Amino acid sequence: MPDDPRPPSGNATHSSTSLRSIARAYLGRVRGGELGALPAVLGLIVLCAFFSALRPVFLSDLNFANLLTQGAGSIAIAMGLVFVLLLGEIDLSAGYASGVCAAVLAILLTNHGWPWYGAVGAAILTGTLIGLLLGVLVAKIGIPSFVVTLAAFLGFQGIVLMLLKEGTNISIRDETILAVANNNLSPVLGWVLLAVSVVGYAAVQFRQNRNRARRGLSTAPPALLAFRIGSLAVLGAVAVQVLNQERSRNIIVDSLKGVPIVVPVIVVLLVAATFVLQRTSFGLHFYAVGGNAEAARRAGINVAAIRISAFVICSSLAAVGGIIAASRGNSVDPNTGGSNVLLLAVGAAVIGGTSLFGGRGRAVDAVLGGMVVAVIQNGMGLMGYSSGVKYAVTGSVLLLAAGVDALSRRRSAQR
């Protein structure tokens, strides 16, 4: 069910009647082309069932943890791309921008002895400045984002090579940075994280319902709120229980259990991005500009500032993705941020439900789409398929998602 079901009837007192109204309204929107993240959710279920049937090891606790860490970097970059895609723009340089920021991180940590927090701050600041430059070129100069970011895609490759002296591999030795993608929370902290997440989500849901009631708007029935909160609690509990199992093949050498540290990092990014997009006027301006830039301008929205902000946020989150990649690889080299990083990040955002035409998308789309992409890559790897087959299948899924988006928008326009 969507977060804001907006039932057509008033504030009904009978829960079952309200639930039927909500279901009818939701199905009506689906038939009208507003699919949202539904294809990604169904695809994720089908893919997990398919790979687990062919390779039972796919659902093992070790592989489950690998899935979460494998897709984390792409998900962080994809969250930033959602802001750009909401405006109907594109950022082809996000992958190599993450590589530039990762190189800055590694150089400051290893070559100059900076503390981890200073190096992380410098890497994110680098991403912010990159986004500011791209945004000004697009919003103020008027160069199409495709051309600007394609040029940046090529230019940032050269910058990475210059920073790394034409191919030097810089090892990361800072324990805090390495822990981001390689260490786990203690089992107790995993349960604490789940409890905080469920309580926080419940508080937001109840507050939203109370605010709508005060304004005389229709509210979600208690049964629906219980379903949402209960679903999060149950799914989260299953995930934490699985991840808290011992995954090490030799416990004498090393114990390996608990929720990967990168998971709360992604959760924090998701909560922050969702809050900005759905709970602030600043975030709602992205939807307004993406839906109709001229109408937004006439309504008093600073369209240029919103466009610049989108690229700043995108490149800043690309920096976070680069930090995660550097942690996972224990080093930074000229391939960091290259190869298939951009493909996977754009694919994650679009497959998750963010429209390439602007005006539609949520931060959670990046997470859902990122998990779909990670499942495809991981599952096909377990089945022994080559990289070529993985690329072909991932590209086909991306094309399918873009086709569904185009058809759904056409159907919405015809209603």
Side-chain angles (χ1 to χ4, degrees):
M1 285 293 181
D3 287 337
D4 183 12
R6 292 171 293 179
S9 59
N11 193 11
T13 57
H14 194 272
S15 295
S16 60
T17 302
S18 296
L19 287 173
R20 284 196 295 268
S21 299
I22 291 170
R24 285 196 299 269
Y26 177 67
L27 291 175
R29 289 197 294 275
V30 170
R31 286 194 294 268
E34 296 183 31
L35 299 179
L38 181 61
V41 173
L42 294 178
L44 193 58
I45 294 172
V46 171
L47 286 169
C48 288
F50 174 75
F51 287 126
S52 61
L54 296 180
R55 289 290 185 272
V57 70
F58 177 81
L59 289 181
S60 66
D61 48 9
L62 180 60
N63 194 57
F64 182 44
N66 287 338
L67 273 174
L68 297 176
T69 56
Q70 182 177 345
S74 296
I75 288 173
I77 299 174
M79 279 192 205
L81 284 167
V82 166
F83 286 83
V84 173
L85 293 175
L86 278 174
L87 304 182
E89 306 286 356
I90 189 65
D91 187 353
L92 299 176
S93 67
Y96 273 110
S98 72
V100 171
C101 297
V104 170
L105 172 82
I107 290 171
L108 293 178
L109 282 176
T110 304
N111 296 352
H112 298 282
W114 279 38
W116 69 268
Y117 48 85
V120 167
I124 295 177
L125 178 60
T126 300
T128 300
L129 294 176
I130 287 173
L132 181 62
L133 173 62
L134 298 178
V136 168
L137 291 174
V138 172
K140 294 295 187 180
I141 308 300
I143 306 174
S145 59
F146 178 86
V147 176
V148 170
T149 58
L150 178 60
F153 172 85
L154 298 172
F156 291 156
Q157 292 184 60
I159 292 175
V160 170
L161 286 172
M162 288 186 286
L163 288 174
L164 299 180
K165 299 180 180 179
E166 301 298 328
T168 303
N169 184 310
I170 301 180
S171 297
I172 304 292
R173 293 187 289 270
D174 187 275
E175 294 183 358
T176 303
I177 298 299
L178 292 177
V180 171
N182 296 289
N183 289 7
N184 306 290
L185 300 175
S186 69
V188 173
L189 279 180
W191 289 113
V192 170
L193 172 66
L194 175 63
V196 170
S197 300
V198 173
V199 171
Y201 180 72
V204 169
Q205 291 294 308
F206 285 121
R207 181 181 179 185
Q208 178 183 354
N209 236 28
R210 185 173 62 252
N211 290 340
R212 291 180 65 87
R214 288 175 179 172
R215 297 168 184 167
L217 302 174
S218 58
T219 59
L224 180 59
L225 293 180
F227 174 76
R228 291 174 178 170
I229 298 167
S231 297
L232 176 62
V234 170
L235 292 175
V238 171
V240 172
Q241 179 62 30
V242 171
L243 291 171
N244 279 348
Q245 303 303 308
E246 183 59 63
R247 303 190 295 272
S248 176
R249 295 181 179 178
N250 190 344
I251 191 174
I252 298 177
V253 176
D254 186 29
S255 178
L256 188 62
K257 59 182 178 180
V259 177
I261 291 177
V262 75
V263 171
V265 173
I266 295 299
V267 170
V268 169
L269 293 177
L270 175 61
V271 171
T274 300
F275 176 80
V276 169
L277 284 176
Q278 299 184 5
R279 306 295 179 193
T280 67
S281 57
F282 172 68
L284 295 177
H285 289 170
F286 285 90
Y287 293 98
V289 174
N292 190 321
E294 180 58 24
R297 184 188 65 79
R298 295 187 178 187
I301 297 174
N302 190 332
V303 175
I306 293 298
R307 285 202 170 103
I308 293 173
S309 299
F311 284 96
V312 168
I313 293 171
C314 181
S315 295
S316 298
L317 287 176
V320 176
I323 293 169
I324 294 173
S327 173
R328 186 165 184 260
N330 298 336
S331 64
V332 174
D333 59 54
N335 291 321
T336 302
S339 185
N340 60 353
V341 172
L342 178 65
L343 164 68
L344 297 183
V346 173
V350 176
I351 292 170
T354 299
S355 175
L356 286 167
F357 301 95
R360 290 185 186 174
R362 299 174 300 167
V364 72
D365 295 343
V367 178
L368 292 173
M371 291 310 301
V372 170
V373 172
V375 165
I376 293 173
Q377 297 285 308
N378 183 278
M380 297 192 75
L382 291 175
M383 294 177 66
Y385 286 107
S386 66
S387 297
V389 176
K390 294 179 186 178
Y391 282 130
V393 172
T394 306
S396 299
V397 173
L398 174 58
L399 181 62
L400 177 62
V404 169
D405 176 38
L407 293 174
S408 65
R409 290 184 68 91
R410 180 183 301 176
R411 188 166 183 175
S412 296
Q414 293 174 349
R415 286 175 66 86

